[in-house]
Amino acid sequence: GGKLEPRSGGFSFDGPLGTFDQAQLQRGYKVYREVCSACHSMNLLSFRTLGERGGPFYDPEAASPAENRFVRALAAETQIADIDTETGDPIMRPGIAADKFPAPFPNATAAAAANGGAVPPDLSVMTKAREGGADYIYSLLSGYPETPPAGLKVNDGQYYNPYMSGDMTPFWSGDPEHVPAGGFIAMAPPLVDGQVTFDDGTANTVDQMAKDVAAYVAWASDPRATERKQTGMGVLAFLAIFAGLTYASYRKIWKGVA
Ligand code: HEM
């Protein structure tokens, strides 16, 4: 039983002072859009969220996230299912900033049917939903072994991943003292080297794409993280100064009192 501890993605947003790296978030969005969004929804996100302060496409020049030209262009690249208000017929139209991200499947039944019975979970808050957060997603995506350990029986439509939770004992014919860590997942390794071309020229290895998409999911799961950390540091600075003042006035008030 058990699973491997996630490897650290060495993320810029780790720790109490860490902030998101905008270039990394842009790359991560591209990986999500070109690869993951074929199967995974992000129901809580709208295109304009991408243009909020701290977000992947935040532009200080834009009057608002809805008027951000990158956001508008990204939305327009996506087809949205809608209803023609005149005829009542279903239509497809290019997205606008206010649109939610379209889901790849109309419902869980259709999603399961397309994925061998397993429903790809919504990724909106995935780094909060799994222990290990961004490190876990990074490790999972980049951690599929080329071949599963010899002696492990892997059923059709299942893939072995040492970072996935599970218990491999019933599937293991090797030494019972050395049951492989990890579990089965119904997601085939989604990334291959060179799959997504990064506009900033960053090397598109599986490792890099996995890191970048994990960072992007971490941002989506908690878009206010940077703001909150900065507020927290301000509060701590205030408390430190206030403590000093309190102590100084205490010394003054009690001066000469035996
Ligand atoms: C599960 C991420 C691409 C199908 C998952 C999970 C994550 C994830 C975090 C949850 C694992 C867990 O339960 O702990 C991603 C990312 C992708 C990606 C970041 C893009 C790089 C895809 C694609 C497909 C897919 C392209 C379909 C072809 C699934 C399915 C599951 C799943 C079916 C459920 C597996 C199970 O419950 O056994 N994915 N995924 N994913 N994903 Fe993906």
Side-chain angles (χ1 to χ4, degrees):
K3 57 184 172 177
L4 289 194
E5 276 294 304
R7 286 164 288 132
S8 165
F11 293 110
S12 60
F13 49 86
D14 288 339
L17 291 172
T19 55
F20 294 115
D21 167 352
Q22 196 180 32
Q24 179 170 53
L25 297 184
Q26 291 184 4
R27 295 193 300 272
Y29 172 75
K30 198 168 189 201
V31 176
Y32 170 72
R33 181 56 59 207
E34 293 185 8
V35 183
C36 328
S37 75
C39 302
H40 291 275
S41 59
M42 287 190 96
N43 289 332
L44 300 180
L45 267 78
S46 56
F47 289 99
R48 68 180 162 207
T49 317
L50 299 169
E52 282 179 6
R53 187 185 291 274
F57 296 95
Y58 174 65
D59 175 6
E61 313 268 281
S64 72
E67 275 156 84
N68 177 310
R69 62 203 160 102
F70 308 106
V71 168
R72 294 171 76 123
L74 292 168
E77 280 171 13
T78 315
Q79 287 294 307
I80 303 288
D82 206 344
I83 305 284
D84 187 313
T85 47
E86 312 243 298
T87 62
D89 294 332
I91 51 159
M92 295 302 281
R93 59 160 176 83
I96 59 169
D99 279 315
K100 286 275 168 70
F101 284 9
F105 304 105
N107 53 52
T109 310
N115 288 281
V119 178
D122 185 82
L123 295 183
S124 306
V125 292
M126 188 47 90
T127 60
K128 302 286 174 189
R130 291 290 183 281
E131 204 183 324
D135 289 337
Y136 169 68
I137 296 185
Y138 158 61
S139 299
L140 182 80
L141 295 174
S142 60
Y144 289 87
E146 236 161 79
T147 50
L152 190 67
K153 186 182 179 316
V154 185
N155 289 325
D156 275 358
Q158 295 286 312
Y159 302 85
Y160 166 71
N161 192 302
Y163 298 96
M164 184 75 180
S165 52
D167 181 5
M168 300 289 82
T169 314
F171 308 94
W172 179 241
S173 57
D175 178 356
E177 297 288 310
H178 294 99
V179 179
F184 292 133
I185 182 167
M187 171 169 73
L191 296 168
V192 294
D193 282 332
Q195 194 166 358
V196 174
T197 303
F198 291 134
D199 308 318
D200 64 5
T202 299
N204 47 6
T205 57
V206 167
D207 194 76
Q208 186 66 46
M209 291 182 286
K211 255 180 213 171
D212 292 345
V213 78
Y216 162 74
V217 173
W219 164 78
S221 302
D222 194 356
R224 304 268 178 277
T226 298
E227 230 172 280
R228 199 177 52 245
K229 285 178 189 179
Q230 285 167 351
T231 306
M233 293 317 287
V235 167
L236 288 181
F238 170 80
L239 286 175
I241 293 165
F242 193 72
L245 283 173
T246 309
Y247 182 64
S249 69
Y250 156 86
R251 299 260 306 190
K252 188 162 183 201
I253 289 165
W254 292 91
K255 197 169 189 153
V257 178

